[in-house]
Amino acid sequence: EPEVTQTPSHQVTQMGQEVILRCVPISNHLYFYWYRQILGQKVEFLVSFYNNEISEKSEIFDDQFSVERPDGSNFTLKIRSTKLEDSAMYFCASRAPATFVREQYFGPGTRLTVT
Amino acid sequence: RKEVEQDPGPFNVPEGATVAFNCTYSNSASQSFVWYRQDCRKEPKLLMSVYSSGNEDGRFTAQLNRASQYISLLIRDSKLSDSATYLCVVKGAGNMLTFGGGTRLMVKP
């Protein structure tokens, strides 16, 4: 069964550093998403991406965040200058075109720890 | 009022029991809903979509009550492997998912 994959599984970084989280969505999916989950809290939407541009973004997704699909397979989330409060699990999700199952499938996540 | 509200639990039930979770949502214009399950420190895994007419998938039944703005999930004949956190999700514009805080289920032998 095809899966969303994410790397790295755990990233430790110092405050102020840039991090790039990587995702490989399911191959025939066209819609891509990033969510985060702070430990003990609910999953929160960050951004959605379709046709090489952002479709929706939340208040969390400020100027420190950016997304990119640099090639046909990868989907990345960049945080330019990390803060302590960016420590969370970051999940990538993807969804097939509307004619197929319309639900999002999540990757295993990247645990980001900012020290 | 929270956008999506769930009783955090935990619900402790014996194997074989039937258990039901409710979830309320605040936006009366919401149209689409989904249940995910999440194991500790893992990703949300799709459980089932919720259709207006209600739907069943094996031991799981989802119901939608638009008038009262709640969604329910019923699990029959609980298994140990059903122990997890169940996430109620409302789909918004652009298929953006709004998650509830989850209801924790623990099935005991």
Coordinates of all heavy atoms in Angstrom, one line a residue, chain A residues 22-73:
Chain A
R22 N 11.2 17.2 5.1 CA 11.0 16.7 3.8 C 9.9 15.6 3.8 O 9.7 14.9 4.8 CB 12.2 16.1 3.2 CG 13.3 17.1 2.9 CD 14.5 16.6 2.2 NE 15.3 17.7 1.6 CZ 16.1 18.5 2.3 NH1 16.2 18.3 3.6 NH2 16.8 19.4 1.7
C23 N 9.1 15.6 2.8 CA 8.0 14.7 2.6 C 8.0 14.2 1.2 O 8.3 14.9 0.3 CB 6.7 15.5 2.9 SG 5.2 14.6 2.5
V24 N 7.7 12.9 1.1 CA 7.4 12.3 -0.3 C 5.9 11.9 -0.2 O 5.6 10.9 0.4 CB 8.3 11.2 -0.6 CG1 7.9 10.6 -2.0 CG2 9.8 11.6 -0.6
P25 N 5.0 12.6 -0.9 CA 3.6 12.2 -0.9 C 3.4 11.0 -1.7 O 4.3 10.5 -2.4 CB 2.9 13.4 -1.6 CG 3.9 14.6 -1.5 CD 5.3 13.9 -1.5
I26 N 2.2 10.4 -1.6 CA 1.8 9.3 -2.4 C 1.8 9.7 -3.9 O 1.4 10.8 -4.2 CB 0.4 8.8 -1.9 CG1 0.5 8.2 -0.5 CG2 -0.1 7.7 -2.9 CD1 -0.8 7.9 0.2
S27 N 2.2 8.8 -4.7 CA 2.7 9.2 -6.1 C 1.6 9.9 -7.0 O 1.9 10.8 -7.7 CB 3.3 8.1 -6.8 OG 2.4 7.1 -7.0
N28 N 0.4 9.4 -6.9 CA -0.6 10.0 -7.8 C -1.5 11.1 -7.1 O -2.5 11.6 -7.6 CB -1.6 8.9 -8.3 CG -2.4 8.3 -7.2 OD1 -2.1 8.3 -6.0 ND2 -3.6 7.8 -7.6
H29 N -1.0 11.5 -5.9 CA -1.7 12.6 -5.2 C -1.3 13.9 -5.7 O -0.1 14.2 -6.1 CB -1.5 12.5 -3.7 CG -2.2 11.3 -3.1 ND1 -2.3 11.2 -1.7 CD2 -2.9 10.3 -3.6 CE1 -3.0 10.1 -1.4 NE2 -3.4 9.6 -2.6
L30 N -2.3 14.9 -5.7 CA -2.0 16.2 -6.2 C -2.1 17.3 -5.1 O -1.8 18.5 -5.4 CB -3.0 16.5 -7.3 CG -2.9 15.6 -8.6 CD1 -3.9 16.0 -9.6 CD2 -1.5 15.6 -9.2
Y31 N -2.7 17.0 -4.0 CA -2.9 18.0 -3.0 C -2.0 17.6 -1.8 O -2.0 16.5 -1.3 CB -4.4 18.0 -2.5 CG -5.3 18.3 -3.6 CD1 -5.8 17.3 -4.5 CD2 -5.8 19.6 -3.8 CE1 -6.7 17.5 -5.5 CE2 -6.7 19.8 -4.9 CZ -7.1 18.8 -5.7 OH -8.0 19.1 -6.7
F32 N -1.3 18.6 -1.2 CA -0.4 18.4 -0.2 C -0.6 19.3 1.0 O -1.0 20.5 0.8 CB 1.1 18.6 -0.7 CG 1.3 17.9 -2.1 CD1 1.5 18.6 -3.2 CD2 1.2 16.5 -2.2 CE1 1.7 18.0 -4.4 CE2 1.3 15.9 -3.4 CZ 1.6 16.6 -4.5
Y33 N -0.3 18.8 2.2 CA -0.6 19.6 3.4 C 0.5 19.4 4.4 O 1.2 18.4 4.4 CB -1.9 19.1 4.0 CG -3.1 19.0 3.1 CD1 -3.3 17.9 2.2 CD2 -4.0 20.0 3.0 CE1 -4.3 17.8 1.3 CE2 -5.1 20.0 2.1 CZ -5.2 18.9 1.3 OH -6.3 18.8 0.4
W34 N 0.6 20.4 5.3 CA 1.4 20.3 6.5 C 0.6 20.6 7.7 O -0.2 21.6 7.7 CB 2.6 21.2 6.5 CG 3.8 20.8 5.6 CD1 4.1 21.2 4.3 CD2 4.8 19.8 5.9 NE1 5.2 20.6 3.8 CE2 5.6 19.7 4.8 CE3 5.0 19.0 7.0 CZ2 6.7 18.8 4.7 CZ3 6.1 18.1 7.0 CH2 6.9 18.0 5.9
Y35 N 0.8 19.8 8.7 CA 0.1 20.0 10.0 C 1.2 19.9 11.1 O 2.2 19.3 10.9 CB -1.0 18.9 10.3 CG -2.1 18.9 9.3 CD1 -2.1 18.3 8.1 CD2 -3.3 19.5 9.7 CE1 -3.2 18.4 7.2 CE2 -4.4 19.6 8.9 CZ -4.3 19.0 7.6 OH -5.4 19.0 6.8
R36 N 0.9 20.4 12.2 CA 1.8 20.2 13.4 C 1.0 19.8 14.6 O -0.2 20.1 14.7 CB 2.6 21.5 13.7 CG 1.8 22.5 14.4 CD 2.8 23.6 14.9 NE 2.0 24.5 15.8 CZ 2.5 25.7 16.2 NH1 3.7 26.1 15.8 NH2 1.7 26.5 17.0
Q37 N 1.6 19.2 15.5 CA 1.0 18.8 16.8 C 2.0 19.0 17.9 O 3.0 18.2 18.0 CB 0.6 17.3 16.7 CG -0.2 16.9 18.0 CD -0.8 15.5 17.8 OE1 -0.2 14.6 17.2 NE2 -1.9 15.2 18.5
I38 N 1.8 20.0 18.7 CA 2.6 20.2 19.9 C 2.2 19.1 20.9 O 1.1 18.7 21.0 CB 2.3 21.6 20.5 CG1 2.8 22.7 19.5 CG2 3.0 21.8 21.8 CD1 2.4 24.1 19.8
L39 N 3.2 18.6 21.6 CA 3.0 17.5 22.5 C 1.9 17.8 23.5 O 1.8 18.8 24.1 CB 4.3 17.3 23.3 CG 4.4 16.1 24.2 CD1 4.3 14.8 23.4 CD2 5.6 16.0 25.1
G40 N 0.9 16.8 23.4 CA -0.2 16.9 24.3 C -1.4 17.7 23.8 O -2.4 17.9 24.5
Q41 N -1.2 18.3 22.6 CA -2.2 19.2 22.1 C -2.8 18.6 20.8 O -2.4 17.5 20.3 CB -1.6 20.6 21.8 CG -1.2 21.3 23.1 CD -0.8 22.7 22.9 OE1 -1.2 23.4 21.9 NE2 0.1 23.2 23.8
K42 N -3.8 19.3 20.2 CA -4.4 18.7 19.0 C -3.6 19.0 17.8 O -2.7 19.8 17.8 CB -5.8 19.3 18.9 CG -5.8 20.8 18.7 CD -7.2 21.4 18.5 CE -7.2 22.9 18.2 NZ -8.5 23.4 18.0
V43 N -3.9 18.3 16.7 CA -3.3 18.5 15.4 C -3.8 19.8 14.8 O -5.0 20.1 14.8 CB -3.6 17.3 14.5 CG1 -3.0 17.5 13.1 CG2 -3.2 16.0 15.1
E44 N -2.9 20.6 14.3 CA -3.3 21.9 13.8 C -2.8 22.1 12.3 O -1.7 21.7 12.0 CB -2.6 23.1 14.6 CG -2.9 23.1 16.0 CD -2.1 24.1 16.8 OE1 -0.9 23.9 16.9 OE2 -2.7 25.2 17.2
F45 N -3.7 22.6 11.5 CA -3.4 22.8 10.1 C -2.4 24.0 9.9 O -2.5 25.0 10.6 CB -4.7 23.2 9.4 CG -4.6 23.7 8.0 CD1 -4.3 22.8 6.9 CD2 -4.7 25.1 7.7 CE1 -4.2 23.3 5.6 CE2 -4.6 25.5 6.4 CZ -4.3 24.7 5.4
L46 N -1.5 23.8 9.0 CA -0.5 24.8 8.7 C -0.8 25.4 7.3 O -1.0 26.6 7.1 CB 0.9 24.3 8.7 CG 1.5 24.0 10.1 CD1 2.9 23.4 10.0 CD2 1.5 25.1 11.1
V47 N -0.8 24.5 6.3 CA -0.8 25.0 4.9 C -1.3 23.9 4.0 O -1.0 22.7 4.3 CB 0.6 25.5 4.5 CG1 1.6 24.4 4.5 CG2 0.6 26.3 3.2
S48 N -1.9 24.3 2.9 CA -2.2 23.4 1.8 C -1.6 23.9 0.5 O -1.5 25.1 0.4 CB -3.7 23.2 1.7 OG -4.4 24.4 1.4
F49 N -1.3 22.9 -0.4 CA -0.6 23.3 -1.6 C -1.1 22.5 -2.7 O -1.3 21.2 -2.6 CB 0.9 22.9 -1.3 CG 1.9 23.4 -2.3 CD1 2.5 24.6 -2.1 CD2 2.4 22.5 -3.3 CE1 3.5 25.1 -3.0 CE2 3.3 23.0 -4.2 CZ 3.9 24.2 -4.0
Y50 N -1.4 23.2 -3.8 CA -1.9 22.5 -5.0 C -1.4 23.2 -6.3 O -1.4 24.5 -6.3 CB -3.4 22.4 -5.0 CG -4.0 22.0 -6.3 CD1 -3.9 20.7 -6.7 CD2 -4.8 22.9 -7.1 CE1 -4.5 20.2 -7.9 CE2 -5.3 22.5 -8.3 CZ -5.2 21.1 -8.7 OH -5.8 20.7 -9.8
N51 N -1.0 22.5 -7.3 CA -0.6 23.1 -8.5 C 0.5 24.1 -8.3 O 0.5 25.3 -8.9 CB -1.9 23.8 -9.2 CG -1.7 24.0 -10.7 OD1 -0.9 23.3 -11.3 ND2 -2.4 25.0 -11.2
N52 N 1.4 23.8 -7.5 CA 2.6 24.6 -7.2 C 2.4 25.9 -6.5 O 3.2 26.9 -6.7 CB 3.4 24.8 -8.5 CG 4.3 23.6 -8.8 OD1 4.9 23.0 -8.0 ND2 4.3 23.3 -10.1
E53 N 1.2 26.0 -5.8 CA 1.0 27.2 -5.1 C 0.2 26.9 -3.8 O -0.5 25.9 -3.7 CB 0.4 28.3 -5.9 CG -1.0 28.0 -6.5 CD -1.5 29.1 -7.3 OE1 -0.7 29.8 -8.0 OE2 -2.7 29.3 -7.4
I54 N 0.4 27.8 -2.8 CA -0.4 27.7 -1.6 C -1.9 27.9 -1.8 O -2.2 28.9 -2.4 CB 0.2 28.6 -0.5 CG1 1.6 28.2 -0.1 CG2 -0.8 28.7 0.7 CD1 2.3 29.2 0.9
S55 N -2.7 27.0 -1.3 CA -4.2 27.1 -1.5 C -4.7 27.8 -0.2 O -5.6 28.7 -0.3 CB -4.8 25.8 -1.6 OG -4.2 25.0 -2.6
E56 N -4.4 27.3 0.9 CA -4.8 27.9 2.2 C -3.7 27.9 3.2 O -2.8 27.0 3.1 CB -6.0 27.0 2.8 CG -7.2 26.8 1.9 CD -8.2 28.0 2.0 OE1 -8.0 28.8 2.9 OE2 -9.0 28.0 1.1
K57 N -3.7 28.8 4.1 CA -2.7 28.8 5.2 C -3.3 29.3 6.5 O -4.3 30.1 6.4 CB -1.5 29.5 4.9 CG -1.7 31.0 4.6 CD -0.4 31.7 4.2 CE -0.6 33.2 4.0 NZ 0.7 33.9 3.7
S58 N -2.8 28.8 7.6 CA -3.4 29.2 8.9 C -2.6 30.4 9.4 O -1.5 30.8 8.9 CB -3.4 28.1 9.9 OG -2.1 27.8 10.3
E59 N -3.1 30.9 10.6 CA -2.4 32.0 11.2 C -1.0 31.6 11.7 O -0.1 32.4 11.9 CB -3.2 32.5 12.4 CG -4.5 33.2 12.0 CD -5.3 33.6 13.2 OE1 -4.9 33.2 14.4 OE2 -6.4 34.2 13.0
I60 N -0.8 30.3 12.0 CA 0.5 29.8 12.4 C 1.5 30.0 11.3 O 2.7 30.2 11.6 CB 0.4 28.3 12.8 CG1 -0.7 28.1 13.9 CG2 1.7 27.8 13.3 CD1 -1.1 26.6 14.1
F61 N 1.1 29.8 10.1 CA 2.0 29.8 8.9 C 2.4 31.2 8.6 O 1.8 31.8 7.7 CB 1.3 29.1 7.8 CG 2.3 28.7 6.6 CD1 3.0 27.5 6.7 CD2 2.5 29.6 5.6 CE1 3.8 27.2 5.6 CE2 3.3 29.3 4.5 CZ 4.0 28.1 4.6
D62 N 3.3 31.8 9.4 CA 3.7 33.2 9.2 C 4.9 33.2 8.2 O 5.3 32.2 7.6 CB 4.0 33.9 10.5 CG 5.1 33.2 11.3 OD1 6.0 32.5 10.7 OD2 5.1 33.4 12.5
D63 N 5.5 34.4 8.2 CA 6.6 34.6 7.2 C 7.9 33.7 7.5 O 8.8 33.6 6.6 CB 7.1 36.1 7.2 CG 6.0 37.0 6.7 OD1 5.1 36.5 6.0 OD2 6.1 38.2 6.9
Q64 N 7.9 33.1 8.7 CA 9.0 32.2 9.0 C 8.9 30.9 8.3 O 9.9 30.1 8.2 CB 9.1 32.0 10.5 CG 9.5 33.2 11.3 CD 10.9 33.7 10.9 OE1 11.8 33.0 10.7 NE2 10.9 35.0 10.6
F65 N 7.7 30.6 7.8 CA 7.5 29.3 7.1 C 7.4 29.5 5.6 O 6.9 30.5 5.1 CB 6.1 28.7 7.6 CG 6.1 28.3 9.1 CD1 5.8 29.2 10.1 CD2 6.4 27.0 9.4 CE1 5.8 28.8 11.4 CE2 6.3 26.6 10.7 CZ 6.0 27.5 11.7
S66 N 7.8 28.4 4.9 CA 7.6 28.4 3.5 C 7.5 26.9 3.1 O 8.0 26.0 3.8 CB 8.7 29.1 2.7 OG 10.0 28.5 2.9
V67 N 6.9 26.7 1.9 CA 6.7 25.3 1.4 C 7.2 25.4 -0.1 O 7.1 26.4 -0.7 CB 5.3 24.8 1.5 CG1 5.0 24.4 2.9 CG2 4.3 25.7 0.9
E68 N 7.6 24.2 -0.5 CA 8.1 24.1 -1.9 C 8.0 22.7 -2.4 O 8.0 21.7 -1.6 CB 9.6 24.5 -1.9 CG 10.2 24.8 -3.2 CD 11.7 25.2 -3.1 OE1 12.4 24.7 -2.2 OE2 12.1 26.0 -4.0
R69 N 7.8 22.6 -3.7 CA 7.8 21.2 -4.3 C 8.9 21.3 -5.3 O 8.7 21.6 -6.5 CB 6.5 20.9 -4.9 CG 6.3 19.5 -5.4 CD 4.9 19.1 -5.4 NE 4.6 17.9 -6.3 CZ 4.8 16.7 -5.9 NH1 5.2 16.4 -4.7 NH2 4.5 15.7 -6.8
P70 N 10.1 21.0 -4.9 CA 11.3 21.3 -5.7 C 11.4 20.4 -6.9 O 12.1 20.7 -7.9 CB 12.5 21.1 -4.7 CG 12.0 20.2 -3.7 CD 10.5 20.5 -3.5
D71 N 10.8 19.2 -6.8 CA 10.8 18.3 -8.0 C 9.5 17.5 -8.0 O 8.6 17.9 -7.3 CB 12.0 17.3 -7.8 CG 12.1 16.6 -6.5 OD1 11.0 16.2 -6.1 OD2 13.1 16.6 -5.9
G72 N 9.4 16.5 -8.8 CA 8.2 15.8 -8.9 C 7.8 14.9 -7.8 O 6.6 14.4 -7.7
S73 N 8.6 14.8 -6.8 CA 8.3 13.8 -5.7 C 8.3 14.5 -4.3 O 7.5 14.1 -3.5 CB 9.2 12.6 -5.7 OG 10.6 13.0 -5.6

